[in-house]
């Protein structure tokens, strides 16, 4: 595994948003946890506001933004999984 892995969804070369695959596991976990919890909290907020009407375009754009944060968190979790599998194989 290379030291720096670009996050998913970035097609620019060279990539500028990278995950340090050699960062301590607890730091990687906190990074992923923060992004996934942010998405969860915002989605819960939307779900519990069903009595407030919202423009579908606004909700669509909001969901696209949440997808980016969720994808970032999943990318970091992928790095954690790879690191743990590599450690188990040693």
């Amino acid at each position: 595994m290379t030291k720096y892995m670009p996050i998913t969804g970035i097609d620019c070369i060279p990539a500028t948003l990278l995950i340090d695959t050699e960062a301590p596991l607890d730091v990687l976990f906190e990074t992923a946890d923060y992004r996934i919890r942010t998405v969860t909290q915002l989605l819960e907020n939307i779900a519990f506001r069903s009595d407030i009407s919202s423009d579908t375009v606004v909700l669509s754009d909001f969901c696209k933004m949440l997808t980016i944060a969720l994808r970032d968190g999943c990318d970091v979790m992928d790095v954690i999984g790879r690191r743990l599998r590599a450690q188990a194989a040693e």
Side-chain angles (χ1 to χ4, degrees):
M1 182 172 8
T2 60
K3 178 164 173 59
Y4 296 105
M5 182 181 100
I7 61 171
T8 304
I10 302 297
D11 296 332
C12 299
I13 297 176
T16 57
L17 295 175
L18 306 167
I19 300 168
D20 181 353
T21 63
E22 296 175 8
L25 288 175
D26 62 325
V27 173
L28 289 169
F29 180 79
E30 286 180 32
T31 301
D33 182 62
Y34 178 76
R35 282 162 173 72
I36 293 169
R37 282 186 188 275
T38 300
V39 171
T40 302
Q41 289 171 356
L42 289 169
L43 287 173
E44 286 174 350
N45 189 319
I46 292 170
F48 293 124
R49 292 179 179 251
S50 60
D51 57 326
I52 299 173
S53 65
S54 298
D55 184 0
T56 56
V57 173
V58 171
L59 287 178
S60 175
D61 290 344
F62 195 63
C63 289
K64 289 175 187 175
M65 185 269 307
L66 291 174
T67 301
I68 293 167
L70 185 58
R71 186 181 301 127
D72 291 354
C74 290
D75 285 349
V76 177
M77 292 298 287
D78 181 54
V79 169
I80 293 170
R82 290 179 192 197
R83 290 264 306 273
L84 291 175
R85 283 190 296 275
Q87 286 178 358
E90 291 177 351

